[in-house]
Amino acid sequence: MHLLASTLCLCAFIAGSLAQIQRSEFCAIGRAWDATSQACSPVGTQIPARSVSNPVVYPHDGSLVTAVPVGGSVIFKQTNGSSVDVLNEMTLQRQLVAGLRTDLGSAQNLSTQLQGAIAAVVANQTVEFAGISGMLDTLANRTNHAIGNIESLVADNVATLRQHQASLNSMQIRKANDTDFQHLLQAMLPQQPPVFAYEMDFDAMHLTETPIESSVEYRIRVRIANATELAAGTWHEHVFDQGDGIFVVDGLTQLTNYTAQIRGESRVGNGEWGVMFNVTTTKRPPMGEDFHCTRGWASTCSGGRVCNICSVVVQLPWPAILYAGVTGHTRVSSGWIYTSISFNNDDANPGANRMHAPAHSYSTQWENHHTARVSSTMTGNVTVTVNIRCSNNCNLNGFGMNGFFVRDEGAMTISNKCQFGGWSMPFSNNRALCNMPYTVNETSLVTATFTGHQRVTGGAVYMIVNYDNDALSRTSTQMYLPAHSYSNQWESFGSHRTKLVNNGTHFTQAISNAAAGWFNGAGLSHLVFPAESRYAASQQFHCTPSGWGVGCGGNTCLVCETSISLPFDAVVLAEFTGHYSTNGGWCYGAVGFDNDAMDTLRTTPSGWQRLGLAHGYSTRWENFNTHRTAKLPAGEHTVQLAIRANSACWLNGVGMDGMWFRAATPADALI
């Protein structure tokens, strides 16, 4: 067919060529009209009808009008590929309705006869009961037959449509893991509805859809109002398409109560607005980013100088606190080396400020060298620098600096540092380096790190971060990441630890357990910030090997691993501490995310330093620790501790822990 070939033809047709429609020639499917012979060809394309000079479909008063000869068909193609003969279906429906009318008419006649028979029985008792009974049976059969036909008609033509409509208008909404907030929206039909689990952020409500199967496309409309808006009847509406999975209603205000409603809509009808339910936005969560810095494998510094071996400029979108640390391996020709982290040049002379926790060593053989610290609240662009200072020529090789910043949310975001009363702290059992008290009014994450240089004059030393005395007399507990050494030569010595704490008053310490020795030039710092109430229990993690130690010879070995589930993109901090020894070769230790450390350590050393590798050659038991940060996407991840040795390495008393928090997005820089 041709549809509206031209305006001229259409006007001429409407003006008065209805007679030409009557002269239209129609050929059977599979045969075409032959203009020369003025007949249908025996073989041709599928042309069901042809008009001599005018289109056979035209608009009229908002309708499409077509001329179909007696016995012709109007066929519509459905989306599932099947076809429907509209005229034939209409004829069948008319015939069925006519039959129903006949059945109902017969039933009505029987009912009239029955009423007459019953009246006769009552009047003169001349009609036999058996006759009445037979009429009742006939009436029941014919009525049931008519009702059955009606039910079939309704079932065939209405059920599917109503099923789709029910799918759109029957919904359930619940707060995740909280059955007290389940709300079943009004259902048109008793049918299992889709489920929406909602979770609140400080500026958004996240609805997670469990899709329903429907051949009718639908959409979801959500409306929300705070108390003032609700009183004024002002709603903010959001529309989402079917199958989006997660709907985000954003632009909300933190710590505000909202009333929300939800409904489904489609071309076959709209559902009722669901019962009202209340949601409250949360406090704005801490968020931040990670940063890193590496350089070539080897860095050398001449005696008497301060060498800036690596720096990175961190752009802070809002006031924030930074955590940064560096790990490498060092040796000196003679004398000593100091290594420190500097924020905007606040540690231009490594070793001069103990509270900046400088790493310090006199070793003439390659040994592990690690330090980390926390900044005060900072704004704008911050230059984070790794500085070394040596009495004579020194090297810091294979180093990597890892760090992160977290938004300063006010009184509940705390950074602090402390040091021992003098340069030297004598070791003894449960002696505290220093003490940092603090108070929080909500569940919070705390991460602490200490570094100095030590030597023992007999036996060995353990030292550990102590939160609220949970580590007293437990300084060798692996999950607490104990620093440990037998070295009687001054060496860099420290550890770190992360913990989830409840609201209340707390303190952070670093305590020792040793018979004799010294811990010099040491500092302790910590960072405290609120956890996210919905995810707090999972924001801190740890792992230890199944036994006290792990040996590794000539290959890469997995020491322990744990899994984390991130509900959104997140910054992850992981750290480990233990004590190691080799048989004369070297040993590397690294934190890995999703096997990247395992894969990297199996290759040549190129690029290893980005992992912040712990590294040493010691044949006696010495401290071995590092940390690493990374930004990981939402989803499931593994965090691993791996080591590699060229001959044989043993890593004992080791534990790994860490935490994660929300990564900032570009939009977060504006709030």
Side-chain angles (χ1 to χ4, degrees):
M1 292 183 181
H2 301 283
L3 292 177
L4 304 180
S6 69
T7 303
L8 180 61
C9 291
L10 175 61
C11 293
F13 174 72
I14 295 176
S17 54
L18 290 175
Q20 292 183 354
I21 294 179
Q22 303 303 321
R23 296 199 306 271
S24 298
E25 293 84 6
F26 295 85
C27 299
I29 293 178
R31 303 176 63 188
W33 178 258
D34 187 337
T36 302
S37 64
Q38 292 292 301
C40 295
S41 63
V43 179
T45 58
Q46 294 185 1
I47 301 177
R50 173 185 175 277
S51 173
V52 173
S53 59
N54 295 296
V56 296
V57 176
Y58 65 94
H60 180 68
D61 291 339
S63 300
L64 284 179
V65 179
T66 184
V68 180
V70 176
S73 299
V74 176
I75 298 176
F76 282 93
K77 198 76 170 180
Q78 297 188 126
T79 56
N80 61 7
S82 62
S83 299
V84 176
D85 185 338
V86 176
L87 293 182
N88 186 50
E89 286 294 322
M90 292 175 61
T91 300
L92 291 177
Q93 296 297 332
R94 283 195 293 265
Q95 292 173 352
L96 179 58
V97 170
L100 292 175
R101 287 176 177 172
T102 300
D103 288 341
L104 289 174
S106 300
Q108 186 175 9
N109 291 333
L110 281 172
S111 177
T112 301
Q113 296 176 29
L114 180 61
Q115 290 177 2
I118 293 174
V121 170
V122 173
N124 49 34
Q125 300 181 358
T126 58
V127 179
E128 294 183 2
F129 178 78
I132 297 177
S133 177
M135 294 174 70
L136 285 172
D137 290 341
T138 303
L139 174 62
N141 291 335
R142 292 189 178 183
T143 303
N144 288 337
H145 177 69
I147 292 174
N149 287 339
I150 293 173
E151 290 176 344
S152 298
L153 177 65
V154 172
D156 291 343
N157 295 277
V158 179
T160 301
L161 179 61
R162 290 183 63 82
Q163 187 176 26
H164 294 325
Q165 197 167 5
S167 299
L168 299 170
N169 292 282
S170 175
M171 294 184 182
Q172 181 179 357
I173 184 164
R174 63 178 176 81
K175 185 174 182 180
N177 302 320
D178 189 350
T179 56
D180 292 338
F181 286 86
Q182 290 187 2
H183 300 278
L184 182 62
L185 304 188
Q186 181 178 353
M188 289 184 62
L189 291 176
Q191 182 171 323
Q192 180 63 33
V195 173
F196 288 84
Y198 72 80
E199 295 181 346
M200 298 305 299
D201 280 338
F202 66 100
D203 65 349
M205 177 172 69
H206 298 259
L207 287 157
T208 303
E209 175 195 25
T210 301
I212 59 175
E213 293 185 2
S214 174
S215 60
V216 177
E217 292 185 1
Y218 64 88
R219 63 183 183 180
I220 305 301
R221 185 180 296 271
V222 178
R223 66 182 186 182
I224 193 165
N226 60 31
T228 302
E229 294 165 340
L230 185 63
T234 303
W235 293 91
H236 299 283
E237 296 191 0
H238 304 258
V239 179
F240 307 99
D241 292 331
Q242 168 187 359
D244 279 353
I246 296 180
F247 311 132
V248 180
V249 178
D250 55 12
L252 308 182
T253 304
Q254 63 175 323
L255 300 178
T256 300
N257 181 266
Y258 287 89
T259 297
Q261 289 183 307
I262 188 171
R263 79 174 184 184
E265 299 177 345
S266 79
R267 61 181 179 182
V268 301
N270 300 329
E272 298 294 331
W273 282 107
V275 294
M276 292 184 180
F277 60 98
N278 293 321
V279 293
T280 302
T281 52
T282 63
K283 182 178 178 181
R284 184 173 60 192
M287 60 184 69
E289 283 290 344
D290 64 329
F291 55 87
H292 309 270
C293 181
T294 61
R295 205 163 73 174
W297 183 256
S299 295
T300 302
C301 190
S302 302
R305 295 182 56 214
V306 174
C307 299
N308 174 351
I309 61 172
C310 186
S311 64
V312 61
V313 177
V314 180
Q315 297 178 330
L316 302 179
W318 6 252
I321 298 172
L322 297 88
Y323 178 107
V326 61
T327 309
H329 50 284
T330 185
R331 70 176 181 179
V332 297
S333 57
S334 62
W336 45 257
I337 177 176
Y338 278 105
T339 302
S340 68
I341 297 292
S342 177
F343 301 109
N344 281 347
N345 207 35
D346 68 348
D347 198 280
N349 188 19
N353 191 329
R354 286 181 286 149
M355 284 198 291
H356 291 171
H360 183 39
S361 177
Y362 286 79
S363 178
T364 56
Q365 73 170 5
W366 294 109
E367 71 169 19
N368 190 55
H369 202 63
H370 172 81
T371 185
R373 60 175 286 222
V374 176
S375 77
S376 58
T377 299
M378 309 193 79
T379 59
N381 293 343
V382 178
T383 301
V384 186
T385 305
V386 179
N387 292 329
I388 59 175
R389 181 168 69 95
C390 315
S391 58
N392 295 299
N393 293 342
C394 63
N395 298 82
L396 182 62
N397 287 4
F399 73 89
M401 186 255 283
N402 287 269
F404 66 85
F405 65 85
V406 63
R407 185 211 302 264
D408 187 345
E409 299 292 346
M412 291 301 100
T413 306
I414 303 166
S415 69
N416 203 356
K417 54 185 179 291
C418 65
Q419 61 188 13
F420 190 67
W423 177 255
S424 297
M425 184 191 86
F427 282 139
S428 63
N429 290 337
N430 292 327
R431 165 160 281 182
L433 173 67
C434 54
N435 184 69
M436 293 186 294
Y438 62 96
T439 300
V440 294
N441 61 14
E442 57 189 302
T443 302
S444 298
L445 289 161
V446 53
T447 183
T449 178
F450 70 89
T451 306
H453 52 285
Q454 73 83 30
R455 74 182 181 98
V456 293
T457 55
V461 59
Y462 281 102
M463 197 161 186
I464 200 167
V465 172
N466 177 42
Y467 292 119
D468 304 328
N469 281 336
D470 65 349
L472 282 179
S473 303
R474 303 177 69 184
T475 50
S476 62
T477 301
Q478 288 172 263
M479 66 177 294
Y480 292 164
L481 282 61
H484 183 42
S485 178
Y486 288 78
S487 178
N488 56 13
Q489 183 184 45
W490 291 110
E491 67 167 1
S492 178
F493 189 72
S495 188
H496 26 229
R497 187 179 162 207
T498 298
K499 187 177 181 179
L500 191 71
V501 296
N502 296 322
N503 63 304
T505 299
H506 304 274
F507 63 84
T508 303
Q509 297 175 331
I511 59 174
S512 66
N513 187 344
W518 301 90
F519 190 39
N520 290 2
L524 168 69
S525 63
H526 73 179
L527 169 61
V528 185
F529 59 91
E532 296 207 28
S533 58
R534 295 192 309 276
Y535 311 111
S538 66
Q539 280 187 265
Q540 196 265 337
F541 57 86
H542 69 270
C543 77
T544 58
S546 57
W548 177 246
V550 173
C552 190
N555 53 15
T556 300
C557 303
L558 178 66
V559 178
C560 70
E561 69 177 346
T562 187
S563 297
I564 57 175
S565 179
L566 304 180
F568 34 67
D569 293 357
V571 176
V572 183
L573 164 70
E575 55 203 4
F576 78 83
T577 303
H579 49 284
Y580 86 107
S581 178
T582 74
N583 65 351
W586 48 255
C587 185
Y588 282 100
V591 170
F593 300 112
D594 300 324
N595 286 315
D596 65 350
M598 296 288 290
D599 296 338
T600 301
L601 289 176
R602 292 188 180 104
T603 65
T604 59
S606 175
W608 282 12
Q609 62 265 40
R610 69 180 176 82
L611 301 177
L613 293 169
H615 182 40
Y617 289 76
S618 179
T619 56
R620 62 188 171 191
W621 294 107
E622 293 188 359
N623 200 49
F624 202 60
N625 66 317
T626 190
H627 80 282
R628 186 180 169 201
T629 61
K631 179 179 177 179
L632 300 180
E636 305 297 319
H637 299 276
T638 56
V639 185
Q640 296 134 335
L641 165 57
I643 58 175
R644 181 184 174 185
N646 66 338
S647 179
C649 172
W650 296 268
L651 181 59
N652 286 1
V654 65
M656 178 180 72
D657 74 10
M659 66 177 182
W660 56 263
F661 60 92
R662 185 185 299 256
T665 66
D668 293 323
L670 305 177
I671 59 177

